[in-house]
């Protein structure tokens, strides 16, 4: 009652000033925390420690360190990495840059350049591969080149895409893509449209107005059982996660349990894991019940028996989560900018950041 009385007699401008002051204080504390973490990492680096992470990696024993084995500053020149990064096979990784508008492939053994596709007319917002089409990378463009293009990574002399899916102006910026059995592809765009593509013919088979805001993530649920083998899941900035039947392209279910925009989705067995800007939530697809939530952030990636994610409070930190207890068991430090992508290949983990570098992490 005292608070209500205070608000009733407090001028609006004063309330607004108090709010701005609180927000500024929180931001100041966040920056101070970031500087302390960076200073700690520099001390560890001088002492010969490459990582403060005590995490379990695929093929390692509990308690071993996951350390940065290679750092590739300016791997795409002086540009920053855009979010898309994808493992093509255990020896090849594809990345994109949001400034020089190129898709590049890199040899994971030494991070040397393997190939560079011709400069695109716009930056690339998403990448995808297809298990039935070896050596093919799909790039989703933004305005003015808002189409999906197929690139042959095997042909080093390729100067043009194999084909394009759709025409310029037919769709908006392609924010997400995922493969579907039968040489098909699902894509989500900036205006909430969800499309199904025949990649052999380059034609759109079905489309739906899936969300009110951008479709930031799409994935399938192969192996989840319970009728989920033939569905596509979409996550959006409108906080909804929706389930779509691949045959009819109709919505069959909807989850509205995120507190902020859905940025990333993945399915692991019967688990559905969704990451937002400040929270990660885990559902059981067999019951559609919420299992747990953690204070992590997109992007997310499963490596071995752990889930790796971004961190809301310290954007250049990577968190490692045990997938049995869902507790944070370690952190990876070293980047100097927001984490944009996390990718697993073999026994190694690769991360890209807005600091313009990629890092490859190995168990030591």
């Amino acid at each position: 009652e005292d608070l209500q009385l205070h608000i009733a007699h407090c001028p609006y401008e004063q309330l607004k000033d108090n709010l701005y002051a609180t927000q500024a204080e929180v931001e100041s504390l966040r920056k101070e925390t970031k500087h302390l973490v960076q200073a700690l990492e520099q001390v560890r680096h001088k002492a010969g420690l490459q990582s403060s992470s005590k995490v379990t990696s695929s093929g390692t024993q509990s308690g071993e360190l996951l350390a940065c084995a290679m750092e590739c500053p300016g791997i795409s020149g002086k540009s920053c990495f855009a979010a898309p990064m994808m493992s093509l096979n255990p020896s090849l990784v594809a990345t994109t840059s949001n400034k020089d508008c190129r898709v590049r492939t890199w040899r994971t053994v030494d991070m040397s350049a393997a190939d560079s596709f011709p400069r695109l007319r716009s930056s690339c917002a998403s990448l995808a591969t297809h298990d039935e089409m070896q050596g093919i990378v799909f790039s989703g463009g933004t305005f003015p080149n808002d189409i999906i293009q197929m690139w042959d990574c095997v042909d080093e002399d390729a100067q043009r895409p194999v084909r394009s899916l759709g025409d310029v102006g037919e769709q908006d910026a392609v924010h997400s893509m995922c493969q579907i059995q039968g040489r098909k592809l699902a894509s989500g765009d900036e205006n909430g449209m969800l499309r199904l593509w025949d990649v052999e013919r380059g034609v759109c088979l079905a489309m739906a107005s899936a969300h009110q805001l951008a479709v930031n993530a799409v994935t399938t649920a192969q192996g989840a059982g319970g009728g989920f083998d033939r569905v596509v899941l979409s996550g959006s900035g409108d906080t909804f996660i929706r389930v779509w039947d691949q045959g009819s392209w109709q919505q069959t279910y909807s989850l509205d349990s995120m507190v902020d925009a859905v940025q990333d989705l993945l399915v692991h067995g019967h688990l559905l894991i969704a990451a937002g800007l400040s929270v990660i939530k885990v559902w059981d697809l067999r019951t559609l019940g919420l299992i747990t939530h953690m204070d992590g952030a997109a992007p997310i990636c499963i490596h071995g028996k752990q889930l790796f994610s971004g961190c809301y409070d310290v954007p250049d930190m990577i968190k490692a989560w045990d997938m049995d207890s869902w507790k944070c068991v370690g952190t990876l430090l070293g980047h100097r900018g927001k984490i944009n992508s996390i990718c697993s290949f073999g026994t190694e983990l690769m991360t890209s950041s807005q600091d313009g570098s990629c890092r490859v992490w190995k168990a030591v």
Side-chain angles (χ1 to χ4, degrees), residues 237-353:
D238 62 10
T239 75
F240 282 89
I241 299 171
R242 294 196 165 107
V243 183
W244 305 84
D245 181 84
Q246 293 182 18
S248 64
W249 213 240
Q250 297 295 313
Q251 179 183 323
T252 61
Y253 198 82
S254 178
L255 292 171
D256 184 22
S257 299
M258 294 295 287
V259 296
D260 58 17
V262 181
Q263 299 292 319
D264 206 352
L265 285 176
L266 63 83
V267 174
H268 181 72
H270 62 274
L271 299 177
L272 168 62
I273 307 173
L277 298 171
S278 60
V279 66
I280 298 174
K281 292 195 173 185
V282 184
W283 287 270
D284 188 330
L285 285 175
R286 295 170 299 186
T287 62
L288 292 176
L290 182 67
I291 297 176
T292 188
H293 62 88
M294 303 96 76
D295 58 345
I300 51 176
C301 175
I302 292 178
H303 182 67
K305 296 181 179 180
Q306 292 176 333
L307 175 74
F308 287 82
S309 77
C311 176
Y312 171 73
D313 294 326
V314 187
D316 53 9
M317 177 188 290
I318 301 162
K319 285 187 172 183
W321 305 88
D322 180 81
M323 293 182 64
D324 292 324
S325 64
W326 298 108
K327 301 294 184 182
C328 181
V329 294
T331 58
L332 300 179
L333 301 171
H335 281 295
R336 296 294 181 266
K338 182 182 180 296
I339 305 301
N340 280 338
S341 188
I342 307 174
C343 175
S344 176
F345 56 95
T347 60
E348 300 171 356
L349 194 72
M350 186 173 180
T351 59
S352 69
S353 165

Side-chain angles (χ1 to χ4, degrees), residues 31 72 127 132-133 151 201 210 221 262 291 303:
K31 290 181 179 179
C72 313
L127 285 177
E132 300 172 28
M133 306 179 73
W151 302 91
R201 295 183 293 157
V262 181
I291 297 176
H303 182 67

Side-chain angles (χ1 to χ4, degrees), residues 165-195:
L165 308 186
D167 299 320
V168 174
E170 180 180 344
Q171 57 191 325
D172 293 291
V174 184
H175 280 216
S176 54
M177 296 183 290
C178 75
Q179 63 169 322
I180 296 178
Q181 287 184 346
R183 300 204 171 196
K184 297 176 183 178
L185 192 78
S187 71
D189 74 15
E190 187 176 37
N191 282 340
M193 297 299 296
L194 186 68
R195 289 177 171 83

